[in-house]
């Protein structure tokens, strides 16, 4: 028997879709992703990008507080064992905690979860088919794609070594952490995101070096003005990152950069390096099967809908959004995708 709803992805969009679909008695089947070395390296393990961050201070409903009692009563004890240690001190909810809470909420309403990747799809047959890494084929009447996007990194071994200890790809998520306050920081990139991140970080940091590989920014004029007019932001033109410097104890202590004009090298003292060099949507398995934008994001076909180029296929979260990219906007679109799927099923039965 075909599934009513299959959801691919386990970030806020996937779980919000699962909560809504399960409460509509559609018994959704969620493919949360596989636990593989490739996914670890790419930052695409189950529970999405939020599981790679530390504290989440901007998700409504989660002000800082003593969450230990709540978490131990809400989350299945077998899942608690795999989580970072809980602290009994007042703290903002962390990304992994928030994602476990969302996953738990979905399972409370009988969402079924498979810890595997979907590697291929047939969206033309009815029912449609999804094929997993482990080789299982599942038929489904509707599909919600919520596979997210991954931040691009430079690919330096030193960058990998200091991830979560000074290297981050999300200033809004991590910028207010104590290690970044009143200290110099580096932002890499020259687009709108880089300026936005640098401007945001400048509120906390003593100085922000914006390292850009060219002598001209890609960012819009208004954003450029914002960076150039900010006394705390110094643009390091025509430089690329050579190496992230630091040690086991302190994490990042500086960034070595090289001039693209004359190859000269200098060290920028900094306690953090933020990447803002774009994102890559996780749509490889959809190539040629679903319309995507020039940048590879799923193309939505109607404003305010989660409809895609194939009937019965809906997209939610960062996989279809290169603009807002927030947990709350993803969760909202996951809800919309589940409602769209429910209405599609109702209209096909009518
Ligand atoms: P983007 O516009 O693609 O810019 C990426 C930047 O990273 C470029 O400056 C690029 O350099 C640089 N870069 C890429 N790969 C690199 C590498 N390997 N090493 C060094 N530098 C590298 O991406 P984005 O800034 O994330 O923006 C994405 C979209 O969101 C855009 O449409 C943007 O307008 C929008 N956005 C808007 C706002 C806003 O309006 N407030 C805020 C954020 C984002 P080059 O310039 O040399 O290619």
């Amino acid at each position: 028997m075909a599934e009513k709803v299959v959801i691919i992805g386990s970030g806020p969009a996937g779980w919000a879709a699962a909560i809504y679909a399960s409460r509509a008695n559609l018994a959704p089947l969620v493919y949360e992703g596989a636990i593989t070395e490739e996914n670890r390296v790419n930052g695409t393990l189950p529970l999405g990008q939020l599981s790679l961050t530390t504290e989440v201070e901007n998700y409504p409903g989660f002000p800082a507080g003593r969450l230990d009692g709540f978490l131990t009563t809400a989350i299945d004890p077998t899942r608690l064992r795999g989580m970072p240690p809980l602290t009994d001190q007042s703290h903002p909810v962390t990304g992994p905690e928030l994602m476990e809470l969302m996953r738990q909420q979905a399972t409370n309403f009988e969402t079924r979860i498979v810890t595997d990747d979907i590697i291929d799809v047939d969206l033309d047959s009815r029912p449609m088919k999804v094929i997993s890494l482990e080789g299982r084929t599942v038929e489904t009447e509707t599909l919600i794609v919520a596979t997210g996007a991954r931040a691009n990194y430079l690919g330096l071994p030193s960058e990998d070594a200091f991830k979560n200890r000074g290297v981050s790809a999300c200033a809004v998520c991590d910028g207010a952490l104590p290690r970044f306050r009143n200290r110099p920081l580096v932002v890499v990139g020259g687009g709108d995101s880089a300026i936005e991140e640098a401007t945001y970080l400048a509120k906390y940091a003593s100085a922000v070096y914006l390292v850009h590989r060219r002598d001209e920014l890609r960012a819009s004029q208004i954003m450029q003005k914002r960076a150039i007019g900010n006394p705390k932001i110094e643009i390091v033109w025509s430089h690329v990152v050579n190496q992230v410097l630091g040690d086991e104890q302190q994490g990042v202590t500086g960034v070595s950069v090289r001039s693209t004009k004359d190859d000269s090298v200098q060290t920028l003292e900094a306690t953090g390096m933020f990447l803002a060099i774009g994102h890559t949507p996780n749509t490889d398995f959809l190539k040629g099967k679903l319309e995507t934008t020039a940048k590879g994001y799923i193309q939505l076909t109607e404003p305010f809908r989660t409809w895609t180029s194939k009937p019965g296929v809906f997209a939610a979260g960062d996989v279809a959004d290169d603009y807002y990219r927030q947990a709350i906007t993803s969760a909202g679109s996951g809800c919309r995708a589940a409602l769209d799927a429910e209405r599609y099923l109702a209209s096909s039965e009518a």
Side-chain angles (χ1 to χ4, degrees):
M1 229 271 304
E3 299 288 338
K4 292 264 180 227
V5 182
V6 165
I7 298 167
I8 316 174
S10 55
W15 295 128
I19 292 163
Y20 270 78
S22 55
R23 289 172 58 80
N25 285 337
L26 296 173
L29 180 67
V30 174
Y31 276 88
E32 68 172 348
I35 300 171
T36 60
E37 181 56 15
E38 193 184 343
N39 280 346
R40 191 196 68 75
V41 171
N42 285 337
T44 50
L45 283 171
L47 304 186
Q49 293 183 85
L50 267 189
S51 70
L52 305 174
T53 69
T54 48
E55 292 169 348
V56 181
E57 292 184 299
N58 57 7
Y59 198 86
F62 287 88
R66 280 197 46 174
L67 290 163
D68 49 325
F70 172 46
L71 294 170
T72 48
T73 50
I75 297 174
D76 185 320
T78 59
R79 298 287 302 179
L80 278 172
R81 283 199 285 275
M83 283 172 62
L86 300 179
T87 144
D88 60 2
Q89 286 163 7
S90 177
H91 72 286
V93 70
T94 67
E97 288 167 356
L98 188 58
M99 295 321 301
E100 285 291 349
L101 286 166
M102 289 191 196
R103 186 185 194 277
Q104 182 69 54
Q105 199 171 348
T107 54
N108 289 354
F109 298 110
E110 296 179 8
T111 293
R112 291 158 303 138
I113 302 169
V114 183
T115 307
D116 199 1
D117 279 337
I118 293 300
I119 55 162
D120 199 4
V121 290
D122 176 353
L123 307 180
D124 291 320
S125 61
R126 286 291 177 257
M128 296 177 280
K129 291 188 184 69
V130 297
I131 297 119
S132 79
L133 183 64
E134 285 177 1
R136 193 170 154 216
T137 298
V138 166
E139 293 186 334
T140 185
E141 289 177 44
T142 66
L143 181 64
I144 296 176
V145 183
T147 44
R150 53 190 187 272
N152 294 339
Y153 284 86
L154 297 166
L156 302 168
S158 57
E159 172 192 60
D160 201 33
F162 291 112
K163 271 186 194 162
N164 276 340
R165 290 190 305 141
V167 170
S168 165
C170 182
V172 180
C173 320
D174 299 332
L177 294 177
R179 67 165 297 121
F180 302 126
R181 282 182 187 255
N182 300 315
R183 311 300 296 273
L185 302 174
V186 165
V187 173
V188 186
D192 282 337
S193 293
I195 308 280
E196 194 168 68
E197 304 241 319
T199 312
Y200 179 82
L201 290 169
K203 286 190 234 162
Y204 304 100
S206 57
V208 178
Y209 300 109
L210 182 68
V211 176
H212 182 40
R213 61 185 176 184
R214 292 186 294 132
D215 55 10
E216 192 187 353
L217 292 169
R218 176 177 296 276
S220 53
Q221 286 302 322
I222 189 163
M223 296 295 271
Q224 294 200 23
K225 247 192 199 161
R226 214 171 277 175
I228 290 162
N230 189 323
K232 277 198 186 170
I233 299 176
E234 182 184 328
I235 305 180
V236 182
W237 298 104
S238 307
H239 275 75
V240 291
V241 174
N242 242 351
Q243 198 187 349
V244 185
L245 309 169
D247 57 46
E248 199 52 44
Q249 217 185 355
Q250 301 175 80
V252 172
T253 57
V255 178
S256 163
V257 293
R258 180 174 52 78
S259 164
T260 53
K261 301 260 183 199
D262 61 12
D263 272 347
S264 61
V265 171
Q266 58 171 303
T267 296
L268 304 171
E269 197 190 303
T271 58
M273 181 176 90
F274 290 81
L275 284 310
I277 58 170
H279 283 74
T280 302
N282 299 317
T283 50
D284 291 352
F285 69 104
L286 294 169
K287 279 222 165 81
K289 313 274 171 106
L290 205 57
E291 246 175 60
T292 55
T293 65
K295 290 183 191 164
Y297 289 81
I298 296 177
Q299 180 76 58
L300 298 180
T301 52
E302 287 286 330
F304 307 111
R305 299 285 179 271
T306 61
W307 303 349
T308 69
S309 57
K310 293 279 174 188
V313 181
F314 307 92
D318 288 10
V319 75
D321 172 17
D322 71 350
Y323 193 79
Y324 293 108
R325 302 193 306 239
Q326 300 298 303
I328 181 66
T329 53
S330 290
S333 68
C335 158
R336 290 196 282 133
L339 294 175
D340 285 344
E342 189 186 351
R343 283 167 197 171
Y344 173 87
L345 287 165
S347 69
S348 355
E349 278 160 18

